[in-house]
């Protein structure tokens, strides 16, 4: 069973381990973060926590009982009552419903605790798992896009009675 937690400073070692362990797995379906992400991780983590305190993003991790990060669900580009949702689940934890439960939980937080009125998300056309996950959590297709040169889809989501 995973626990959703708002990102904190003390998550840094487990989050870095998660990103390193799953780098190749993630790069198969989303653009790679690049070597600079890993070499400058500590400074970037501190900057992101400052941005979170300022309310311009909301980061969350899904952790197991030992504190290992199994996934993350983030809200970025928070402005004018809207944000973009992104998520990734560890390869060893995929297929267990963590993305669905994590995204649903963060959507609830977005609309109740963070005061947002709409969410956006994007994925590549070939990422069928992500497309299905977004559909399961109430996102609807809103048009096409290009992600790192690859064709993709845009999605939107508004609050429902279940989010209140």
């Amino acid at each position: 069973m995973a626990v959703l937690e708002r990102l904190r400073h003390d998550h840094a070692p487990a989050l870095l381990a998660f990103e390193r362990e799953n780098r190749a797995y993630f790069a198969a379906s989303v653009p790679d973060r690049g070597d600079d992400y890993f070499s400058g991780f500590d400074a970037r983590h501190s900057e992101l926590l400052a941005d979170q305190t300022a309310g311009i993003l909301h980061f969350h991790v899904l952790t197991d009982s030992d504190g290992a990060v199994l996934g993350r669900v983030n809200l970025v580009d928070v402005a004018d009552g809207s944000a973009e949702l992104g998520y990734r689940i560890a390869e060893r934890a995929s297929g267990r419903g963590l993305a669905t439960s994590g995204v649903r939980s963060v959507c609830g937080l977005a609309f109740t605790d963070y005061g947002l009125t709409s969410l956006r998300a994007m994925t590549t056309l070939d990422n069928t798992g992500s497309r299905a996950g977004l559909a399961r959590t109430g996102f609807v297709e809103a048009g096409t896009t290009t992600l790192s040169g690859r064709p993709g889809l845009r999605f939107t989501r508004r609050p429902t009675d279940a989010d209140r």
Side-chain angles (χ1 to χ4, degrees), residues 42-103:
D42 290 335
R44 177 91 171 117
H45 187 73
S46 293
E47 290 170 7
L48 293 174
L49 289 173
D51 288 347
Q52 180 167 266
T53 299
I56 55 177
L57 54 80
H58 303 282
F59 280 12
H60 308 84
V61 291
L62 292 160
T63 60
D64 67 14
S65 58
D66 295 325
V69 174
L70 300 174
R72 55 189 309 178
V73 183
N74 301 324
L75 298 171
V76 299
D77 298 332
V78 176
D80 301 323
S82 182
E84 184 168 330
L85 178 130
Y87 61 94
R88 49 181 58 200
I89 303 298
E91 183 175 21
R92 69 182 177 94
S94 66
R96 298 187 345 210
L98 292 179
T100 300
S101 65
V103 167

